[in-house]
Amino acid sequence: MGFLAIGINHKTAAVDVRERVAFSPEQLAEALQRMRVDTATQEVAILSTCNRTEIYCSQDTPDAERVLRWLADYHGLPAEQLTGSSYQYQESAAVRHMMRVASGLDSMVLGEPQILGQMKDAWQAARTAGTLGPQLDRLFQSTFNTVKQVRTDTAIGENPVSVAFAAVSLSRQIFSDLRRSTALLIGAGETITLVARHLYQQGVSKIIVANRTLERAQLLSDELGGRAIVLNQIPDVLAECDIVISSTASPLPILGKGAVERALRQRRHKPMFMVDIAVPRDIEPEVGRLADVYLYTVDDLHEVIAENLRSRQGAADAAERLIELGTDEFMQRLRALAAVDVLRRYRQKAEALRDQELTRAMSRLQRGGDPAAVMTEMARALTNKLLHDPSVQLKQMTAEGRADALALAQELFALEADQAPTLTPPQGKP
């Protein structure tokens, strides 16, 4: 059984491609179960964020092409559309990639911490859907432990560098004094929560939180002394908002060109700054063509983010070393677990032989056999039976010219290797 990681991210695909293969939280359980059946996959988890969609799975024979074809079919896309923008990793490379992703080393914002929470959500979703088996669960747990060590032993997460922070930094470039601005935040998830806190720290005078459920919006707005509304109330407040930042899991745009045009007329064309962090996008792209609107997507935040990365570059090298150690340790444990299964089956076989000889010996003793002779015969018979199969197999391997067989046998049985015999390959073999 082998590990496979396959997906697309902000480095390999533009936002219009990423949004077409994104999974909403409501889709995940059904998608996980369908993929396991459709691709003959034993264990599977899906990570879907604004910057990436990745599938982690365990298969008897890793088949990246089949998984990629399933991803395209599920979202109604031609497979070739994803071929050029996807990547795949197998075995230790898949383990390393997963640890790098969870540590924030593969993120748009180096070292951003939100991805770890999203990785835990992916683990929980697979667990709830019943597609998280023991192998994949061990990989997730090792990943979480490695990320914990990275966060503890390096400075990669010390500075406030994130998509949320970048969005607020960009708003400061548009509005010199945020204290006079009103912000509308659409959504109430982790990213919007971070945006809200950054804006609050910058002294934004008024924060309005819009969400599908009023209760969730109320929790966040109460924390910041703001106001909570539901999504269909956005047109009523849009005209008073200078800053609009949106991040929801909606499959369709929430804010359209017509609503923004009406708001601009009411504002007498006072500029509006908008950041659409969502994938799929929450704000129609046509809004960006309107005069007096500054609309940015996650892909537009690169320059702002780059300015905040320098302090994390040194820590990234140390983090990479920790991830290499974490990958090696996990693969060693995985190989050890494979040996445990073989040893378990061999022990069961040995115990069956033991019980067989013990039953025979007890029967002879009950018939009045000499105890010493019975014990001697039992020991001889058990020894012969335990050594029979290894002896046959070792002779067969050496006869086939497998030069490593004797050395492995000497190591396996802890024998002193005074001088291993030199094997001559069988006639006709190189």
Side-chain angles (χ1 to χ4, degrees), residues 167 253 355 406:
D355 293 343
L406 287 178

Side-chain angles (χ1 to χ4, degrees), residues 366-380:
Q366 290 172 358
R367 294 196 304 268
D370 178 62
V374 171
M375 296 299 291
T376 300
E377 175 59 22
M378 185 185 75
R380 183 195 64 77

Side-chain angles (χ1 to χ4, degrees), residues 394-426:
L394 183 60
K395 288 178 181 178
Q396 179 65 30
M397 287 188 288
T398 54
E400 292 174 353
R402 295 171 61 176
D404 61 334
L406 287 178
L408 287 173
Q410 289 182 145
E411 184 177 354
L412 179 63
F413 297 124
L415 303 176
E416 293 185 5
D418 294 332
Q419 183 174 358
T422 302
L423 297 182
T424 302

Side-chain angles (χ1 to χ4, degrees), residues 94 142 173 195 206 277 314-316 349 353 356 369 380 386:
S142 292
Q173 297 179 26
V195 169
K206 186 177 180 182
I277 304 175
K349 181 178 180 179
L353 293 173
Q356 180 183 350
R380 183 195 64 77
L386 287 174

Side-chain angles (χ1 to χ4, degrees), residues 17-37:
V17 176
R18 299 201 306 273
E19 66 185 0
R20 296 184 68 186
V21 296
F23 292 87
S24 68
E26 294 76 21
Q27 285 179 299
L28 271 182
E30 183 264 345
L32 286 164
Q33 292 162 0
R34 268 185 56 182
M35 187 204 147
R36 186 171 62 175
V37 173

Side-chain angles (χ1 to χ4, degrees), residues 19-158:
E19 66 185 0
R20 296 184 68 186
V21 296
F23 292 87
S24 68
E26 294 76 21
Q27 285 179 299
L28 271 182
E30 183 264 345
L32 286 164
Q33 292 162 0
R34 268 185 56 182
M35 187 204 147
R36 186 171 62 175
V37 173
D38 294 347
T39 63
T41 298
Q42 284 78 14
E43 307 174 30
V44 59
I46 295 175
L47 173 69
S48 188
T49 75
C50 60
N51 283 329
R52 69 181 67 243
T53 292
E54 295 190 343
I55 297 174
Y56 310 120
C57 56
S58 180
Q59 298 177 322
D60 286 335
T61 303
D63 190 344
E65 183 179 348
R66 187 175 184 182
V67 173
L68 187 65
R69 190 166 59 249
W70 176 88
L71 180 63
D73 289 344
Y74 185 89
H75 291 287
L77 299 173
E80 55 271 18
Q81 188 168 351
L82 296 182
T83 301
S85 56
S86 64
Y87 45 83
Q88 58 176 279
Y89 301 94
Q90 296 185 19
E91 302 297 2
S92 61
V95 174
R96 184 181 301 106
H97 174 74
M98 192 166 164
M99 291 182 176
R100 293 188 77 253
V101 169
S103 298
L105 293 178
D106 196 54
S107 297
M108 178 187 292
V109 180
L110 180 65
E112 58 97 1
Q114 288 76 34
I115 188 64
L116 176 59
Q118 293 163 335
M119 187 73 81
K120 289 182 177 179
D121 290 342
W123 167 79
Q124 184 60 57
R127 186 181 181 190
T128 301
T131 63
L132 184 76
Q135 296 280 63
L136 201 55
D137 186 46
R138 289 190 192 100
L139 176 52
F140 269 101
Q141 298 307 321
S142 292
T143 296
F144 298 152
N145 290 335
T146 298
V147 175
K148 182 179 180 181
Q149 188 174 4
V150 167
R151 295 287 169 183
T152 301
D153 295 351
T154 75
I156 196 164
E158 288 185 358

Side-chain angles (χ1 to χ4, degrees), residues 230-289:
V230 291
L231 296 181
N232 61 14
Q233 293 178 286
I234 289 176
D236 299 332
V237 302
L238 191 58
E240 60 185 281
C241 300
D242 306 295
I243 299 168
V244 178
I245 302 179
S246 186
S247 178
T248 76
S250 173
L252 298 173
I254 290 172
L255 195 56
K257 181 181 177 184
V260 177
E261 285 179 320
R262 288 190 294 272
L264 285 172
R265 286 196 295 269
Q266 294 175 45
R267 291 168 60 84
R268 297 186 180 181
H269 295 278
K270 181 182 177 182
M272 299 178 73
F273 168 73
M274 298 183 177
V275 179
D276 189 350
I277 304 175
V279 176
R281 284 172 282 190
D282 285 339
I283 303 174
E284 288 183 349
E286 291 77 12
V287 171
R289 302 193 188 105

